[in-house]
Amino acid sequence: MPDTEAITELSKRRGFFFLSSAAYGGVAGFYTFGPQGAALKANVESAWRDRFTVKEGNREIEAPTIMPEPVFEASGHLDGFNDMLVECASCGESHRADHLVEDATGIEDAEALPNSEVADLIAEHDIHCPNCGEPLAGQPVENFNLMFKTDIGPGGDQPGYLRPETAQGIFVEFPRLKEYARNQLPFGVTQIGRAYRNEISPRKGLVRVREFTQAELEQFIDPEEDEPNLDAVADVEVRLYPAAEQERDDGDYLETTIGDAVDAGIIANDWVAYYLGISQEWYERIGVDMDRFRFRQHLSGERAHYASDCWDAESELGGDWVEIAGFAYRGDYDLSKHDEYGDDDFTLFKQYDEPKTVERAVVDPDMSTLGPEFGGAAADIADALRDLAARDPDAFDGDEVTVEADGEEYTVSTEVADFRVEEQTESGEHITPHVVEPSFGVGRTVYTVLEHAYREDEVAGEERTYLALEPEIAPTYVGIFPLVGNDERLTELARELVRDVREAGLSAEYDDSGNIGRRYRRKDEIGTPFCVTVDRDGVEGDGETTVTVRERDTTAQIRLPVDALVDELTAMRSGRRTFDELLDAYERVDADTAEA
C-alpha cells in the first residue's frame, strides 16, 4: 500500500495534481489538476454521467456556483453548516477539533459528538497544538460556518454565498424542472459542478480541500407509490458496516447482498439500497479496490435531522477510511423549506385515477368584521384561520378560536370565522415529493483510483512504478512511438497512427524521446493501458506493415497489422475485446527483448 507522500510526489511529477499558486506560496486547500489529472477527472465524471444520468434516464443541469443568501437561509446552511473549531491560545492557529480527537484517540467519528464532549476529550488526552506544541486543554470548541460569503453587485446590498453543495441549485429550480418532467414522478436531476467549503484545516491532498467537484443526483419520488427496481441490484454483493455493528465492542462488517440486506432490515430504505447497489458496481467499474471499500451507516448523532437513513461509501486511503460518497433519504425537507421561504410552488399535482368525494374543512371569514376589529392584521388572521381549519378542524368546536399571526395571538368568534365542513369532488391533490440523494466527491474518487491503482514491480531487471488504471478512465489510452527517433519512415508512420487513433475518438500521445524502455516507463507511470511501437521489422519487407502493441500490467506484446490497429484498440476500449484474446489471435513478441 503506497503512502500519501508517494502518491503526492508521483502526482506532482507526472501532472495529476499539485498545490495551486505555488509561485505565491500556495494556499492550503486549493489544488490544480494538471494535464493527466484533468483528463482522469474528466473521464471519471464521464463514467459517472453515463451511469447515473444516461443509464438511469435522468436529466442534467448546470446551476450557478454563487446563490443569494435567502437560499441558504431556507436550506438551513446559515445556521447549521458548521465544523468544530479550536484555536490555540499560544500561536493563534485554528484546528478542526474533532480531527485532533480522532488522530489522538482512534475514535472514528468524533464529528458526531457534542462540542462539549470533544473539548473534554482534548483535555483528557492532553492534546497539543500541532503547530506550536502547546496544550489545547481548556480552549473552547466552537462552531465555525464553512460557507464563503460574497456580495452580489456593487454596494453589498445583496449578500450571497459560494454554494457548499450542488444540491441547492437543483432544489431551487424544482418549480421549472417539474414542468420539464411533465409533472410526472419519479424523475431525477443530476449535476456535476464546483462546491466550496472554507475548511478549518485542509489536509491529505485532495481528501479535504476548500474547492472541489461534486456529482449529485436528486431523485424526486412519490413516497406512497414509487419504488426502485430492486431486482436489478438484489444480487450485488456489498460490504456493510451498519450503525449497530459500529456501536458494538466486537462489531464487524456484514458481507451480504443488497437483496438480503433489505429483507433483513439492515438497509431501511429501498431507494437508498438501490443506489448502493448500482454505486457498488460503478466503483468496481472505474477501478476502486473492493477489498478497501465499504458502505458505512451513519450513527444517530451524525445523521442530519431531516434524513431517515444515511450511508457513506468509504475507501481506505493511507490506512484511514475516507468518505467518498453519501446516500441519504432526505424526505420532503428541502422542497418544503423552499416552498415556505420562496415565492413559487414546490409541490406537484398528483392526478387520481378516479375523482374522489371528500369532506373538507372550510373557513370563509367575515372580513367586514375582521377588518374594523383587527385593522392591518385582518388578512393575516384570515390566512391563519384557513391554515388552522386544514390541520385541526376540532379547534373550531367552541364559541371562539385563537390563532397566531406575525407572532401575535388573536381570538376570533367561530361565527365570524364561518367554519363549516363541505363535501368536495377532487381530481387530485398537491403533494411535496420526497428526495433520495446520492452525492459523490469527484476529487476524492480520483484520489482513490490513483492510490488503489498504484503498483510497484520489476521489469527487465529494473524497478517499475505503474498505475493499473481502468482503460475507461486512464488519462491517455495509448502511447505511440517510433522505435528510434532518427528514422523518418518510423516517425512518419507513428505520427500518422496517432492521427488515426485520435480520429477514432481515442486519446493518444506521440513520444520519441529517450530509449524505448524509458518511454514505456513514463507511460506506465501515468497509467496508459497500451503502447504501440513502430519498428523496422514491421515496415520493411514485402508483407503487410505491422506494429507491436504492449499491454501495461503484464508488459506482454503482440505484433499487429497496422490496418487492424484502430479497430482492435477501439474494441478493447469498449470492452468488446480483451488483450488476452489478442494474445491468442496474433503473433507474440518477446517482452524482455522489447523492454530493453
Side-chain angles (χ1 to χ4, degrees):
M1 181 187 302
D3 57 26
T4 302
E5 290 184 5
I7 299 297
T8 301
E9 191 277 331
L10 183 148
S11 296
K12 182 177 180 180
R13 178 162 47 84
R14 291 302 184 194
F16 282 99
F17 65 87
F18 44 86
L19 188 67
S20 298
S21 305
Y24 294 90
V27 180
F30 294 95
Y31 283 84
T32 295
F33 286 92
Q36 301 302 330
L40 173 60
K41 178 173 177 285
N43 289 343
V44 169
E45 292 172 2
S46 179
W48 189 92
R49 182 177 286 112
D50 172 72
R51 185 63 191 86
F52 291 90
T53 304
V54 177
K55 285 186 169 58
E56 291 299 302
N58 296 320
R59 298 187 177 189
E60 183 175 358
I61 71 165
E62 183 176 344
T65 59
I66 295 176
M67 306 179 77
E69 185 176 63
V71 170
F72 301 109
E73 182 182 2
S75 67
H77 283 87
L78 286 185
D79 296 327
F81 197 67
N82 305 309
D83 274 344
M84 300 181 189
L85 179 147
V86 61
E87 185 175 306
C88 177
S90 179
C91 69
E93 189 77 10
S94 296
H95 304 287
R96 183 78 183 261
D98 52 320
H99 287 172
L100 295 179
V101 168
E102 289 170 358
D103 293 342
T105 67
I107 295 174
E108 288 192 5
D109 300 296
E111 183 181 9
L113 302 175
N115 288 14
S116 58
E117 188 171 339
V118 170
D120 290 343
L121 287 168
I122 288 175
E124 177 184 340
H125 292 274
D126 193 25
I127 296 175
H128 289 57
C129 172
N131 184 55
C132 70
E134 289 297 309
L136 294 172
Q139 297 304 307
V141 174
E142 301 174 331
N143 286 331
F144 173 76
N145 192 284
L146 298 176
M147 288 197 297
F148 285 98
K149 188 174 184 179
T150 187
D151 293 319
I152 301 174
D157 293 334
Q158 187 176 11
Y161 291 87
L162 277 69
R163 65 186 185 192
E165 61 181 18
T166 64
Q168 297 307 319
I170 297 175
F171 294 142
V172 299
E173 306 303 344
F174 178 81
R176 188 172 296 277
L177 295 173
K178 69 180 180 183
E179 295 178 7
Y180 300 149
R182 300 185 303 281
N183 291 287
Q184 298 296 310
L185 295 174
F187 70 89
V189 180
T190 65
Q191 183 169 199
I192 301 175
R194 295 284 185 167
Y196 306 84
R197 297 180 185 179
N198 194 12
E199 294 285 350
I200 296 169
S201 52
R203 59 181 188 171
K204 297 184 178 179
L206 299 181
V207 169
R208 189 164 296 278
V209 292
R210 289 177 166 134
E211 179 182 2
F212 54 96
T213 300
Q214 285 184 309
E216 292 193 304
L217 162 61
E218 307 303 331
Q219 181 77 53
F220 299 100
I221 66 168
D222 180 344
E224 295 183 356
E225 294 187 0
D226 297 330
E227 297 179 353
N229 180 18
L230 274 180
D231 290 342
V233 297
D235 295 329
V236 174
E237 296 180 351
V238 288
R239 173 185 291 169
L240 303 180
Y241 197 22
E245 292 296 319
Q246 297 173 54
E247 292 167 346
R248 292 172 49 189
D249 292 337
D250 58 347
D252 201 355
Y253 300 137
L254 298 180
E255 306 284 351
T256 184
T257 65
I258 291 292
D260 289 344
V262 171
D263 291 342
I266 298 167
I267 305 176
N269 183 273
D270 287 358
W271 281 98
V272 170
Y274 174 74
Y275 283 116
L276 294 186
I278 65 171
S279 298
Q280 170 83 19
E281 295 179 323
W282 182 75
Y283 278 122
E284 190 168 4
R285 163 181 162 181
I286 65 169
V288 173
D289 184 353
M290 291 296 107
D291 290 333
R292 300 166 63 189
F293 179 84
R294 70 186 186 186
F295 290 114
R296 185 186 68 83
Q297 188 177 29
H298 281 205
L299 299 171
S300 59
E302 62 181 315
R303 189 169 62 238
H305 65 276
Y306 53 77
S308 60
D309 195 17
C310 288
W311 291 76
D312 286 343
E314 296 185 335
S315 66
E316 187 184 8
L317 300 173
D320 297 324
W321 286 100
V322 174
E323 173 196 352
I324 58 176
F327 304 82
Y329 188 86
R330 300 177 68 113
D332 64 358
Y333 172 83
D334 301 283
L335 296 185
S336 294
K337 280 293 186 181
H338 289 298
D339 191 64
E340 176 186 351
Y341 282 79
D343 297 326
D344 213 329
D345 182 10
F346 288 80
T347 66
L348 185 145
F349 187 73
K350 177 181 176 180
Q351 189 87 25
Y352 297 146
D353 293 335
E354 295 181 0
K356 296 180 181 179
T357 299
V358 297
E359 291 186 342
R360 293 290 184 205
V362 176
V363 169
D364 188 14
D366 182 357
M367 299 304 293
S368 65
T369 301
L370 286 184
E373 185 172 352
F374 299 109
D380 291 334
I381 293 171
D383 289 339
L385 288 168
R386 295 186 186 99
D387 291 341
L388 180 60
R391 68 176 185 270
D392 185 13
D394 294 341
F396 293 82
D397 288 346
D399 295 332
E400 294 180 333
V401 61
T402 300
V403 295
E404 182 178 310
D406 291 332
E408 297 287 336
E409 286 191 347
Y410 299 91
T411 300
V412 180
S413 164
T414 51
E415 183 178 346
V416 172
D418 191 10
F419 171 85
R420 61 190 182 277
V421 176
E422 296 180 347
E423 282 194 350
Q424 299 178 355
T425 299
E426 299 180 347
S427 60
E429 63 178 319
H430 285 272
I431 66 169
T432 303
H434 285 205
V435 175
V436 187
E437 180 191 71
S439 174
F440 293 71
V442 175
R444 290 185 179 186
T445 302
V446 167
Y447 188 85
T448 293
V449 297
L450 282 173
E451 182 169 316
H452 288 195
Y454 186 92
R455 306 282 191 275
E456 293 178 353
D457 65 1
E458 186 175 296
V459 174
E462 292 186 1
E463 292 184 356
R464 175 178 74 139
T465 297
Y466 70 100
L467 296 176
L469 295 172
E470 290 294 321
E472 180 180 12
I473 65 167
T476 305
Y477 181 62
V478 57
I480 300 179
F481 321 135
L483 182 62
V484 292
N486 59 1
D487 188 319
E488 190 172 336
R489 294 173 305 166
L490 306 186
T491 57
E492 285 187 359
L493 179 55
R495 293 185 185 278
E496 181 182 330
L497 292 177
V498 169
R499 290 192 293 270
D500 292 343
V501 169
R502 288 174 176 170
E503 286 178 4
L506 305 175
S507 58
E509 289 185 357
Y510 174 89
D511 188 358
D512 61 10
S513 175
N515 67 48
I516 194 66
R518 296 297 183 194
R519 281 179 267 171
Y520 284 154
R521 299 297 176 270
R522 286 197 289 268
K523 290 296 177 283
D524 291 345
E525 207 165 31
I526 62 171
T528 304
F530 302 104
C531 288
V532 173
T533 302
V534 181
D535 57 26
R536 293 190 178 97
D537 290 343
V539 301
E540 292 177 348
D542 298 329
E544 62 183 351
T545 302
T546 62
V547 292
T548 62
V549 179
R550 172 188 181 271
E551 194 270 337
R552 175 198 61 215
D553 296 353
T554 64
T555 72
Q557 298 192 39
I558 58 168
R559 187 163 289 279
L560 190 68
V562 165
D563 292 342
L565 178 65
V566 172
D567 288 342
E568 295 290 12
L569 288 174
T570 302
M572 288 191 291
R573 177 64 175 77
S574 66
R576 292 182 288 108
R577 187 88 146 143
T578 67
F579 191 77
D580 285 343
E581 291 173 336
L582 265 63
L583 287 173
D584 295 333
Y586 296 99
E587 174 192 353
R588 298 194 184 207
V589 176
D590 182 5
D592 289 337
T593 301
E595 292 284 336

